[in-house]
Amino acid sequence: MLDIQADAASDRRPAIVICAYDAGETGWDPVEDLSGVAWNPAGARTVAVAADAPENLAVSLQEHLRARGCRALLLVGRTGHGESFRVQMRAENRVLNGTDRLDDTGPGVARATAPVLEIVEALNEAGLAAVASSESEADAGSYLLYRILSGLPDGIDSPAIGLLRAPASASDAAMQRAVKVAAATIALHLSPLPRAYGT
């Protein structure tokens, strides 16, 4: 008989947190069939975080990133710019409505740590038109990206953090495919957890 708890404790796959931050978003569902098992890319496991108020969500996501085994975060939202998927490369130091600085002493811009260009290439190869964007949109996605990136501790072992935006016209199926492609690309850069992780 299999010991499910022991198997979970010894799972050395790094975790990727995936969060569709808009409460009304239906495009990303981590459970892809009736089994109730969440989708996972090769070499990693996913942790779904539900939408919430941006301030609450920022705290929750930061807590996930501090957890042992969590190595990446993929924020998922929509864009009103064009018909292509956009992978946002940076976020500006702005409050939610974009009018003022969020942090008077923080950097003006925070750059995504996820492999943006590789994600864009993988999306295009999968038949999903995609571009890398340095434009920060005045919404919860940019707010969360800045809050989380600027709150990371200094060090060379930073988690991979990125923001994938689907065009407003993209179907739920297209968004599902795009999230899976992006997460699978991030997973390629994550190494297994140390053997001591499960003990």
Side-chain angles (χ1 to χ4, degrees):
M1 183 174 189
L2 293 174
D3 186 340
I4 295 173
Q5 289 184 340
D7 287 346
S10 63
D11 191 340
R12 294 177 55 228
R13 295 176 300 164
I16 301 174
V17 172
I18 301 177
C19 177
Y21 50 81
D22 286 328
E25 182 57 65
T26 60
W28 169 245
D29 182 357
V31 179
E32 58 183 351
D33 57 35
L34 296 177
S35 70
V37 176
W39 171 83
N40 295 301
R45 58 191 172 88
T46 56
V47 177
V49 174
D52 197 351
E55 295 83 359
N56 297 338
L57 200 50
V59 172
S60 174
L61 293 172
Q62 287 169 331
E63 288 174 355
H64 277 283
L65 286 170
R66 284 193 291 269
R68 290 180 68 199
C70 185
R71 300 300 307 130
L73 166 64
L74 179 62
L75 296 166
V76 180
R78 298 277 179 170
T79 179
H81 300 291
E83 295 299 311
S84 296
F85 284 87
R86 299 167 77 87
V87 184
Q88 191 167 315
M89 295 189 292
R90 64 184 198 140
E92 296 176 2
N93 183 351
R94 294 280 180 242
V95 293
L96 270 170
N97 65 10
T99 56
D100 295 308
R101 286 177 66 92
L102 174 66
D103 183 348
D104 289 336
T105 60
V109 171
R111 300 196 179 281
T113 55
V116 171
L117 297 181
E118 290 178 41
I119 292 171
V120 169
E121 288 174 2
L123 288 167
N124 283 313
E125 287 173 8
L128 298 163
V131 296
S133 173
S134 60
E135 184 176 353
S136 186
E137 300 184 29
D139 67 357
S142 293
Y143 169 84
L144 289 168
L145 186 62
Y146 181 87
R147 276 275 308 263
I148 293 161
L149 288 169
S150 65
L152 289 175
D154 291 332
I156 59 171
D157 199 22
S158 295
I161 299 172
L163 170 54
L164 172 67
R165 295 182 179 275
S169 60
S171 67
D172 287 359
M175 180 178 266
Q176 290 272 0
R177 285 183 58 217
V179 171
K180 290 179 179 180
V181 168
T185 304
I186 291 171
L188 293 173
H189 294 265
L190 305 179
S191 56
L193 301 173
R195 290 189 184 279
Y197 172 72
T199 61

